[in-house]
Structure formats: structure tokens, C-alpha cells
Amino acid sequence: MLRSIPALAALCGLLLSASACSQQEVAKATFMPMGGIPFTIQAYDVSSATFDKAVTAIQAETERLESIFSFHRDDSELATLNREGQAKVSQELLRVIQVALMVSNSTDGAFDPTVGPLVGLWQHCADLGRVPTEEELESHKALVGFRQLLVNTAESKITLQKKNMTLDLGGVAKGFIADRAAETLKGLGVKRGIIDAGGNLALFNAVGEEPFRIGVRHPEKPNERFAVLTIDSGAVVTSGCYERFYDVDGKRYCHILDPRTGLPVGELLSATIVASEGAYADALATAVMVLGKDKGMQVINSLPDAKALLIWREGSELKYSISASLESKLELSAP
Ligand code: ADP
Ligand code: MG
């Protein structure tokens, strides 16, 4: 784990993922859960004893949540549900599935948590050094469909109606985990903090404090910033194809798939969503990557609690669009 306790937040604006302009002292720790995703905790004006306690509690809680949501671990609660096809589930799994389905419904299936068979197929084919065949795509697409995923809220029961259907919550769970970590900080009396779970930010601020200045990464240049958003609290989540992709014969295919075609998406370079709830913002960011720049912004504009910054390339130009209510909060970085 990388730690620096405490350092003055004089770094203001330098950090790529998140930073805040403040002369308050900030304690910072990074660990690498979930198969190596950088997870950073920042808390302002906190004693080192409280911060240590918070870091230990967040690590333990993140591990516990990983043992619920992991698609790859055979012993996770999700893996058990996928094997059995039906299960009474924890409140956490229920909530994440409910948010996932809400976003599936409002994006007409662009976000689909039942995309598991297609994700498995692309992974399998990439391991073999090839892309899936038409037949393979068709047979796996037939197993995908969020309308076959039934939720009985009163009994916390989930049913996968089709044989061999599998849920993959990789596009929604990290936002939930980031919110949980922020709750842990708040529960220990921290008034101002930032969680960054691999590009899924959860922010909370004390009354009267400066808002946070959040760096949005340049989608094509890993060490550069595209813009800064000034945000006071809530979730800021970015999805893109630049960090995780399938590599076949030196060609990169995005890890976000269009459930309707079974193919990797390609129009947007990145989608940043601002909303109150992490899981919701996370799922929407993935959905908008599938919907593309026009339909994606149209859907965001139709939702009450969501704003977006979308970035794409047109020839030699990098272009972006932003929700009207976010415009005054955006500062573009020098090209
Ligand atoms: P990251 O995990 O890199 O932050 P996302 O939040 O966009 O990115 O999630 C991508 C993951 O979501 C994929 O790795 C896969 O597990 C899953 N996924 C891919 N396509 C979809 C989709 N259309 N709907 C729901 N989940 C998806
Ligand atoms: Mg997502």
C-alpha cells in the first residue's frame, strides 16, 4: 500500500483522478483490491489514528464486497447465483442488481447485467488469439437479456430465467463499493473526503468548504488531463476503452460490449457521469459508451439525476459534449 499521511493538499489540480484546492491537511492511502485496481482514500482534517482505522475498515469492507460481486471468484455470492440460477441474496447484491436493472430499463438494454456469456466469449477468444465467429456471437447473444432476470424484492430472491444465463456486475459494482467506502469515512466522523475506486469517485464535502476540482483524464494520453470539473459531492464515474480491452493480434477491442450486436463499442473514447449514487453513475457510464455520443446524451438529458461529459475523436480533432448544467463547472485543459 502507498501511503502519505498527512500531506498538505498543495498539489491542488495536479493529480489526475481527483484533487481538491484546500489548505486543509489531507491524509491519503492507496491499495490495490479487485485484481489490482488502484483504490485511493483521501480524507481531510483527520487524525492519523482515525485515518488508520478508516483505511483498515475500508479494506475489510471492500474485500467483503468483492466476495459478493466478483464474477471471477468461484466462491463469490454472484458465482453461486450464476451456478444455481436462483438464490436468496444479500441486501448488497439485491441493491446492485436493482440499480443495474433500473439503468437497463432506462437505456433500453444498452446496459445489461446479463452480458456475462458475451464477456466470457470475448475473453475466451482473446485467450485463443482470435475474435468470436458470427455463430458464436449469435449463440451467446441468445443468452443475454435483462428481461429474463427476475427480482423478488420482498424475499430478496433473484432468478435467472434462462439456462446458462450469467450476471456480470463489472459495469456497476465499483460505483457501489466507492459509495460504501465514503460511508465508512463519514461514519468515523470525517467531514470531507474523496474515494477513487479505479475511476469511480465518491465525494463528500463539509458545509462551506471549496468544491473539489476533479481531473478528467485525456482518453488518448494517459498522463494528461482533458479537463477539470468542479464538483461538490456525489459520484463522478468515467468509463473508457483505454485501460481495459481485449488484445487480439495486436488490435485492441473495448471491454464494453454492445449487448445487441455482441461487439465491442468504439464511438466514444470516454464517458464521465456525475450523479448522486455511485452504482447508478457507474452503470450509466457503461451504458453511454454503448449508446454513443448522440443517443447517450439524449438519454442522460432525459434522466433527473445524471449529467455527462462525453469525449470522442473526429478525424484529427478531439470533440466533446457536456450536459448544460455541467457547463459552468468545466475548465478545459490546454491542448
Ligand atoms: P471499468 O470496469 O473499466 O470501470 P465499466 O464500468 O464500463 O468499466 O465496466 C465494464 C465491464 O462491464 C466489462 O468489463 C464487463 O464486465 C461489463 N460489461 C461490458 N459491457 C457491458 C454492458 N453493455 N452492460 C453491462 N455490463 C457490461
Ligand atoms: Mg460502469
Side-chain angles (χ1 to χ4, degrees):
M1 189 196 300
L2 296 167
R3 277 188 183 212
S4 59
I5 311 172
L8 259 192
L11 271 178
C12 178
L14 270 185
L15 290 173
L16 270 175
S17 55
S19 71
C21 293
S22 171
Q23 287 312 306
Q24 280 180 318
E25 285 198 335
V26 57
K28 185 173 172 186
T30 301
F31 65 113
M32 307 285 270
M34 301 184 267
I37 287 165
F39 192 117
T40 300
I41 305 160
Q42 291 185 73
Y44 291 79
D45 241 358
V46 63
S47 72
S48 54
T50 302
F51 189 64
D52 277 352
K53 210 163 145 188
V55 171
T56 306
I58 289 170
Q59 276 186 298
E61 178 66 352
T62 302
E63 251 167 60
R64 190 182 75 81
L65 293 174
E66 204 183 339
S67 76
I68 293 178
F69 300 127
S70 175
F71 184 67
H72 302 287
R73 277 171 53 170
D74 285 347
D75 60 347
S76 72
E77 194 184 352
L78 183 71
T80 308
L81 170 61
N82 279 338
R83 258 191 319 269
E84 318 253 312
Q86 188 174 65
K88 188 168 158 50
V89 299
S90 61
Q91 285 306 302
E92 290 86 350
L93 189 51
L94 182 68
R95 177 68 195 151
V96 168
I97 291 174
Q98 282 171 331
V99 174
L101 280 178
M102 191 165 78
V103 173
S104 298
N105 276 304
S106 49
T107 62
D108 200 19
F111 185 85
D112 193 326
T114 71
V115 77
L118 282 171
V119 173
L121 173 66
W122 274 90
Q123 189 56 62
H124 171 73
C125 289
D127 290 345
L128 298 175
R130 63 174 179 87
V131 296
T133 63
E134 277 298 323
E135 293 72 33
E136 286 171 329
L137 286 174
E138 285 307 316
S139 63
H140 287 76
K141 255 183 350 188
L143 300 173
V144 176
F146 68 94
R147 292 195 170 84
Q148 311 293 322
L149 167 62
L150 300 190
V151 177
N152 179 334
T153 306
E155 293 178 29
S156 300
K157 216 162 110 184
I158 305 292
T159 307
L160 309 179
Q161 276 198 306
K162 258 189 227 172
K163 201 169 176 306
N164 295 329
M165 257 178 100
T166 49
L167 293 189
D168 175 347
L169 301 173
V172 56
K174 285 199 287 293
F176 181 89
I177 292 173
D179 277 3
R180 266 296 162 91
E183 290 307 320
T184 302
L185 283 181
K186 286 187 215 168
L188 286 164
V190 177
K191 296 281 184 289
R192 176 172 159 84
I194 304 177
I195 302 295
D196 181 352
N200 295 255
L201 306 186
L203 321 170
F204 61 96
N205 209 350
V207 178
E209 268 295 333
E210 287 275 301
F212 298 103
R213 289 171 52 77
I214 303 302
V216 177
R217 200 185 112 156
H218 191 299
E220 292 173 327
K221 300 178 187 161
N223 298 319
E224 287 183 28
R225 206 164 49 191
F226 177 79
V228 170
L229 285 171
T230 307
I231 309 283
D232 198 52
S233 64
V236 183
V237 174
T238 300
S239 266
C241 297
Y242 43 76
E243 241 156 28
R244 290 170 57 212
F245 41 81
Y246 304 110
D247 192 339
V248 181
D249 246 354
K251 190 164 179 229
R252 289 177 170 192
Y253 296 89
C254 190
H255 69 303
I256 299 169
L257 305 173
D258 185 333
R260 295 156 296 191
T261 59
L263 298 173
V265 303
E267 182 178 285
L268 284 170
L269 294 173
S270 72
T272 299
I273 304 294
V274 179
S276 325
E277 191 180 341
Y280 181 60
D282 190 1
L284 275 178
T286 308
V288 167
M289 288 297 295
V290 174
L291 291 169
K293 61 184 171 62
D294 297 334
K295 193 81 212 302
M297 194 51 95
Q298 199 183 318
V299 166
I300 292 297
N301 287 338
S302 74
L303 298 171
D305 176 35
K307 296 164 212 159
L309 167 63
L310 312 183
I311 309 175
W312 67 95
R313 173 162 286 289
E314 260 175 49
S316 61
E317 263 185 281
L318 208 58
K319 300 229 169 173
Y320 74 94
S321 63
I322 187 158
S323 299
S325 55
L326 260 191
E327 243 166 280
S328 62
K329 321 234 177 261
L330 179 80
E331 240 174 70
L332 288 178
S333 304

